[in-house]
């Protein structure tokens, strides 16, 4: 097992071995929270999985199962109680410089124009303002935002704002993108358009990404792999390879292979949701 | 904004959300003058009625001008004394501005420190609240005993009555930043200082300007109160002297000047706000048009 090796050994591995190293590896991740009064709540119970470079992995699970906590741990915003996050083979618990994070709400700042918002990450990292904004502006055409550089966020539609938020995420040039239900707040038509668009852009850039979603169809449509988490405490319940050719288009969502995967996921997810619901009822 | 959208789609860029765009309401541009009139006219009418009733009653009942002069006499006598009144008004304005400047500096220092230190927050906030329970009416004469008849005690009174709303406005403004934004900034590699500069500070500015407006209305009355207790110059001491001379008309003329001064300063805050945070204005206007 590679994870049993000391870290310096992993780092010292020759390049040809390292080529097979996953971009992200979660190694027996546990996370508990102190509830006060000596009580503890276990949120994550032994999550292990890997994401290859350039792979798009979706994570679905019942509400409140601990997805966000897992995300925060990968993003370095929280540390695991035990277990490790490995980025390119090196332990990276609590390190924030590897990932770019896109929250569900666009969180565009009303005092910044779209190009200024898009450049935020770079500016925070210390890139000179002008340079940061030039880098961000370069992606505007591809993100369907050309001509809106100097608009303010409130002047844009929901879909455009989400694209601006995604642009702000990718322009940081981090190794991993963490997308937390990026389309969750959009209406269903805009959502489908965004998924199609994202799918196209993805084919060109092959970013490594982990997507949290509640939308099974979205997960299957966009991903190379879908991971289903169990009810809290979260563990990996199912890990499904989506072996559909790319680029994908909407017609593919009715293909037998697509439907088969979708059904498989729905079944497991519903089972876990029921468990989560029962557990909540028992608490009351 | 519709013209911008048209050029964007017309330039051969990826067609952007035709659905969302069609749904977006077109923003009507209301002429600003009409808006202004609609806001100002009712209060002007009410004021005119009150003044007319006052004038008619005082004249018909033959009230002595020492008790209550008719508005026409207030204007007439005030105009006759305009150079003296303006001189005093200038002194009051000076006190107001300097005192308010001190207040602003102190308020910002306190609010920013509180924002960075939870300990300081718990320690200082109750004291600030307590400071507002001090009756200014009792403290103002003491200020003169302590600091004399010069500018300093009056500045301090103005600062004392105005800094509190500004501090509260700023602290609350800084705290409007939600957890997710903090996480976003942290994930970008920002620490507490960057979080403050990139998020907390700009997002606090609209609240700050609201607080500024509340404070500025206290500032002029604060200055006049400080002068009333004892001063060499200023509308406060002018009113006090004229009251003792039973020149009710001149007291009221000075009150009028005070009101005009306060309103001008109040309106000035809008102009400054517009310069400093134009985005807030645009956003509000767009929202109200929807």
């Amino acid at each position: 097992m590679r994870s049993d090796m000391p870290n310096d050994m992993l780092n010292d591995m020759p390049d040809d071995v390292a080529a097979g190293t996953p971009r992200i590896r979660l190694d027996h991740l546990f996370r508990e929270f102190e509830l006060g009064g000596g009580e503890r709540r276990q949120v994550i119970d032994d999550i292990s999985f890997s994401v290859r470079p350039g792979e798009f992995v979706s994570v679905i699970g019942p509400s409140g199962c601990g997805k966000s906590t897992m995300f925060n741990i990968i993003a370095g915003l929280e540390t695991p109680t035990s277990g490790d996050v490995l980025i390119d083979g090196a332990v990276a618990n609590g390190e924030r410089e590897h990932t770019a994070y896109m929250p569900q709400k666009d969180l565009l700042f009303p005092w910044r124009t779209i190009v200024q918002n898009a450049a935020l990450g770079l500016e925070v990292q210390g890139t000179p303002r002008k340079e940061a904004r030039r880098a961000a502006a370069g992606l505007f055409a591809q993100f369907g935002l050309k001509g809106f550089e100097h608009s303010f966020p409130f002047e844009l539609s929901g879909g455009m704002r989400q694209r601006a938020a995604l642009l702000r995420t990718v322009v940081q040039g981090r190794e991993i993108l963490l997308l937390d239900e990026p389309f969750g707040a959009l209406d269903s038509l805009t959502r489908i358009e965004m998924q199609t668009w994202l799918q196209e852009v993805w084919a060109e850039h092959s970013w490594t990404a982990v997507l949290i979603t509640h939308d099974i169809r979205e997960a299957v449509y966009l991903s190379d792999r879908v991971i289903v988490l169990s009810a809290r405490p979260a563990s990996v319940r199912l890990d499904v390879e989506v072996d559909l050719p790319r680029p994908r288009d909407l017609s593919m969502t009715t293909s037998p292979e697509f439907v088969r995967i979708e059904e498989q996921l729905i079944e497991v997810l519903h089972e876990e949701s029921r468990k989560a619901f029962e557990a909540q009822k028992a608490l009351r | 904004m519709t013209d911008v959208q048209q050029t964007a789609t017309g330039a051969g860029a990826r067609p952007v959300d035709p659905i969302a765009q069609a749904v977006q309401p077109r923003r009507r541009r209301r002429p600003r003058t009409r808006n202004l009139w609609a806001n100002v006219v009712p209060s002007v009418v009410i004021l005119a009625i009150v003044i007319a009733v006052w004038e008619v009653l005082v004249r018909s009942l033959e009230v002595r001008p020492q008790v209550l002069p008719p508005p026409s006499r207030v204007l007439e006598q005030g105009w006759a004394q305009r150079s003296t009144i303006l001189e005093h008004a200038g002194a009051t304005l000076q006190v107001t501005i300097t005192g308010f400047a001190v207040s602003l500096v102190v308020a910002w220092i306190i609010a920013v420190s509180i924002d960075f230190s939870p300990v300081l927050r718990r320690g200082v906030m109750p004291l600030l609240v307590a400071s507002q329970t001090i009756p200014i009416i009792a403290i103002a004469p003491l200020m003169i005993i302590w600091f004399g008849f010069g500018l300093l005690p009056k500045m301090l009174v103005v600062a004392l009555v105005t800094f509190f709303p500004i501090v509260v406005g700023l602290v609350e403004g800084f705290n409007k930043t939600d957890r997710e934004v903090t996480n976003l900034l942290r994930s970008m590699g920002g620490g507490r200082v960057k979080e403050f500069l990139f998020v907390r500070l700009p997002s606090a500015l609209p609240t700050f300007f609201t607080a500024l407006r509340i404070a500025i209305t206290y500032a002029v009355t604060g200055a006049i109160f400080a002068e009333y207790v004892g001063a060499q110059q200023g509308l406060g001491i002018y009113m006090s002297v004229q009251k003792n001379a039973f020149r009710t008309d001149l007291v009221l003329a000075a009150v009028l000047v005070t009101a005009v001064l306060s309103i001008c300063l109040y309106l000035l805050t809008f102009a400054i706000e517009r310069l400093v945070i134009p985005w807030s204005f645009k956003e509000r206007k767009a929202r109200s048009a929807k």
Side-chain angles (χ1 to χ4, degrees):
Chain A
M1 277 281 283
R2 195 174 281 154
S3 58
D4 297 328
M5 285 191 231
N7 293 315
D8 46 346
M9 263 180 80
L10 278 173
N11 289 337
D12 292 339
M13 273 191 299
D15 280 345
D16 53 339
V17 180
T21 311
R23 175 115 304 166
I24 313 171
R25 177 168 165 68
L26 302 185
D27 186 25
H28 298 290
L29 222 55
F30 286 85
R31 176 70 173 139
E32 290 181 335
F33 286 109
E34 302 262 356
L35 288 179
E39 253 188 284
R40 291 164 161 275
R41 172 178 287 166
Q42 188 156 22
V43 179
I44 294 177
D45 179 24
D46 197 6
I47 290 185
S48 298
F49 66 84
S50 318
V51 180
R52 293 187 298 271
E55 196 176 23
F56 192 120
V57 174
S58 287
V59 176
I60 54 180
S63 311
C65 76
K67 296 186 292 272
S68 297
T69 305
M70 183 191 84
F71 240 41
N72 286 344
I73 291 173
I74 301 176
L77 295 170
E78 287 180 37
T79 47
T81 308
S82 72
D84 287 316
V85 178
L86 294 101
I87 308 278
D88 294 327
V91 175
N93 296 339
E95 289 177 13
R96 298 190 203 134
E97 64 268 27
H98 307 288
T99 57
Y101 161 72
M102 178 178 175
Q104 179 176 6
K105 285 190 245 163
D106 58 64
L107 302 183
L108 297 172
F109 296 164
W111 54 88
R112 286 178 162 244
T113 61
I114 299 302
V115 72
Q116 290 167 354
N117 264 298
L120 180 73
L122 291 175
E123 284 182 40
V124 169
Q125 284 156 35
T127 311
R129 223 182 244 194
K130 248 190 179 164
E131 207 178 296
R133 289 174 190 180
R134 203 180 311 127
L139 285 169
F140 265 56
Q142 193 171 34
F143 279 68
L145 293 166
K146 195 141 192 70
F148 291 88
E149 285 84 351
H150 305 294
S151 301
F152 282 96
F154 68 89
E155 295 169 324
L156 267 58
S157 68
M160 293 170 80
R161 292 168 63 117
Q162 264 342 94
R163 282 199 296 263
L166 183 64
L167 203 164
R168 179 186 62 197
T169 315
V170 302
V171 81
Q172 295 174 49
R174 300 277 175 94
E175 300 108 289
I176 299 149
L177 304 182
L178 297 176
L179 314 175
D180 189 354
E181 285 195 69
F183 309 138
L186 299 175
D187 64 90
S188 58
L189 275 176
T190 313
R191 196 170 181 168
I192 291 171
E193 285 208 5
M194 289 288 289
Q195 290 162 358
T196 311
W197 167 80
L198 182 63
Q199 208 275 127
E200 281 172 36
V201 181
W202 214 268
E204 283 176 47
H205 291 268
S206 62
W207 291 301
T208 307
V210 182
L211 170 85
I212 286 184
T213 179
H214 278 116
D215 185 338
I216 293 170
R217 215 175 118 114
E218 176 174 287
V220 180
Y221 185 46
L222 293 175
S223 313
D224 300 311
R225 252 168 66 218
V226 181
I227 289 169
V228 183
L229 294 184
S230 68
R232 200 175 62 209
S235 58
V236 176
R237 178 73 169 70
L238 194 67
D239 186 337
V240 183
E241 198 86 23
V242 181
D243 208 6
L244 295 166
R246 285 183 187 270
R248 299 172 185 166
D249 57 38
L250 268 181
S251 65
M252 200 175 275
T253 59
T254 48
S255 71
E257 174 69 2
F258 192 100
V259 173
R260 188 188 61 76
I261 297 171
E262 212 179 351
E263 274 171 358
Q264 187 186 1
L265 291 172
I266 286 174
E267 196 183 314
V268 177
L269 188 62
H270 278 200
E271 197 183 305
E272 289 302 326
S273 290
R274 248 195 323 274
K275 271 192 224 162
F277 184 66
E278 295 297 329
Q280 266 184 350
K281 267 209 308 205
L283 271 179
R284 266 183 220 143
Chain B
M1 282 307 123
T2 41
D3 52 344
V4 182
Q5 290 181 351
Q6 270 157 12
T7 51
T9 44
R14 180 187 301 277
V16 263
D17 289 357
I19 306 150
Q21 263 185 26
V23 173
Q24 249 192 354
R26 285 179 65 192
R27 289 183 195 103
R28 285 169 297 146
R29 277 185 68 94
R30 266 188 297 176
R32 196 186 297 162
T33 45
R34 218 189 85 196
N35 218 333
L36 189 74
W37 277 115
N39 285 334
V40 171
V41 164
S43 49
V44 168
V45 169
I46 292 171
L47 192 64
I49 292 171
V50 170
I51 288 171
V53 171
W54 173 3
E55 180 86 33
V56 169
L57 278 183
V58 168
R59 281 182 187 279
S60 58
L61 297 174
E62 291 178 358
V63 182
R64 284 194 307 150
Q66 287 90 332
V67 177
L68 186 65
S72 57
R73 185 184 163 109
V74 171
L75 283 180
E76 187 191 315
Q77 290 302 311
W79 183 251
Q81 295 288 322
R82 62 183 180 277
S83 61
T84 319
I85 292 179
L86 278 183
E87 207 177 298
H88 286 292
T92 301
L93 193 62
Q94 196 198 350
V95 170
T96 308
I97 301 288
T98 48
F100 201 62
V102 170
S103 170
L104 274 176
V105 172
V106 173
W108 272 92
I109 291 172
I110 293 176
V112 173
S113 322
I114 283 178
D115 192 56
F116 275 92
S117 157
V119 179
L120 211 59
R121 183 194 183 109
R122 284 195 297 272
V124 171
M125 259 330 223
L127 295 182
L128 293 185
V129 175
S131 80
Q132 292 309 293
T133 64
I134 297 171
I136 293 296
I137 204 160
I139 221 82
L142 292 182
M143 291 273 193
I144 287 172
I145 295 174
W146 295 334
F147 304 109
F149 287 89
L151 195 59
L152 184 64
K154 297 173 193 64
M155 275 168 52
L156 289 178
V157 170
V158 172
L160 201 60
V161 296
T162 57
F163 87 100
F164 185 68
I166 304 176
V167 173
V168 172
L170 278 174
V171 168
E172 275 178 15
F174 293 148
N175 273 333
K176 268 196 307 198
T177 305
D178 67 32
R179 180 100 194 111
E180 284 176 77
V181 178
T182 307
N183 272 347
L184 179 69
L185 257 279
R186 286 175 62 206
S187 83
M188 288 168 170
R192 191 60 177 75
V193 174
K194 282 197 169 150
E195 188 197 331
F196 181 80
L197 291 176
F198 278 95
V199 189
R200 298 177 83 88
L201 177 63
S203 66
L205 289 178
T207 330
F208 165 68
F209 276 102
T210 308
L212 191 74
R213 268 192 274 288
I214 298 170
I216 199 90
T217 55
Y218 293 161
V220 183
T221 37
I224 285 176
F225 187 80
E227 291 165 353
Y228 206 89
V229 182
Q232 283 146 355
Q233 257 202 330
L235 287 173
I237 195 70
Y238 180 79
M239 285 182 207
S240 173
V241 168
Q242 299 306 328
K243 180 205 69 177
N244 292 340
F246 293 103
R247 287 302 302 271
T248 314
D249 49 354
L250 289 179
V251 175
L252 289 175
V255 169
L256 181 67
V257 173
T258 311
V260 171
L261 213 59
S262 290
I263 292 170
C264 286
L265 289 174
Y266 181 78
L267 293 178
L268 191 64
T269 62
F270 281 101
I272 296 170
E273 183 179 10
R274 208 166 191 146
L275 280 178
V276 178
I277 46 170
W279 55 270
S280 175
F281 260 87
K282 282 194 189 177
E283 195 184 15
R284 237 182 293 163
K285 211 158 86 186
R287 272 187 215 284
S288 64
K290 268 179 192 168

